[in-house]
Amino acid sequence: MHQFLPPSFRRASRRGVVTVEMAICLPVLLAFLFFLFEFSRVHLLQQTLTEAAYQAARVVKIPGAEAGEALPVVEQVAGAVGLRDFTVDVSPAVITEATDFVTVTVTLPVNSNSWGAPIFFRDGQLIRSATLKTERYRSADF
């Protein structure tokens, strides 16, 4: 029956279908794109925190270093991508010649560093740490 209709009538009957398809598909497509952008941003945050913790641990593991020297290193690495409101914890807090391992933990709230609503993260923060053996040699080690 459709073949017996004039061409102008056939085109006019399809105009509403395109509008309805667009109204259904466009929000789904936009939500998917937002989801991809948000997860790529969070992945960037995770990798930056991992690198910041590792670089800070490398600094405090050398002889003569103090735990407070980790913060400027984390600020430099995290500042490169604009992270803010992070906290840095160095364990042990006092590094002595007897210290064998140093752990640097960086905690970042997702709320203040996400581009959108961080609805995919229940606890609301990312935590990354790095543990390295110190370079403080004791005479008993030889």
Side-chain angles (χ1 to χ4, degrees):
M1 179 168 170
H2 188 62
Q3 62 196 357
F4 299 113
L5 297 174
S8 62
F9 185 73
R10 277 185 260 161
R11 269 186 259 121
S13 66
R14 295 283 301 163
R15 286 186 193 153
V17 173
V18 172
T19 304
V20 170
E21 287 175 355
M22 181 65 98
I24 292 172
C25 294
L26 187 63
V28 173
L29 178 65
L30 291 177
F32 182 70
L33 286 175
F34 172 74
F35 177 79
L36 287 177
F37 284 133
E38 187 65 22
F39 266 98
S40 64
R41 172 68 177 176
V42 171
H43 184 69
L44 172 75
L45 298 178
Q46 291 173 339
Q47 294 303 316
T48 302
L49 289 182
T50 301
E51 181 66 18
Y54 175 72
Q55 293 296 333
R58 286 185 62 206
V59 168
V60 297
K61 79 174 192 161
I62 61 173
E66 298 177 359
E69 294 177 28
L71 182 61
V73 174
V74 174
E75 287 175 344
Q76 181 182 8
V77 174
V81 292
L83 301 185
R84 56 187 181 274
D85 301 332
F86 55 84
T87 59
V88 179
D89 179 47
V90 179
S91 176
V94 177
I95 302 168
T96 65
E97 289 296 323
T99 304
D100 289 328
F101 292 94
V102 175
T103 301
V104 177
T105 304
V106 183
T107 305
L108 180 78
V110 179
N111 293 342
S112 59
N113 291 284
S114 178
W115 286 337
I119 59 175
F120 308 110
F121 302 94
R122 294 187 184 126
D123 57 356
Q125 58 182 326
L126 297 173
I127 301 171
R128 293 290 182 267
S129 64
T131 301
L132 296 177
K133 184 166 177 53
T134 62
E135 294 180 2
R136 292 166 176 81
Y137 300 109
R138 297 178 300 226
S139 60
D141 291 340
F142 295 105

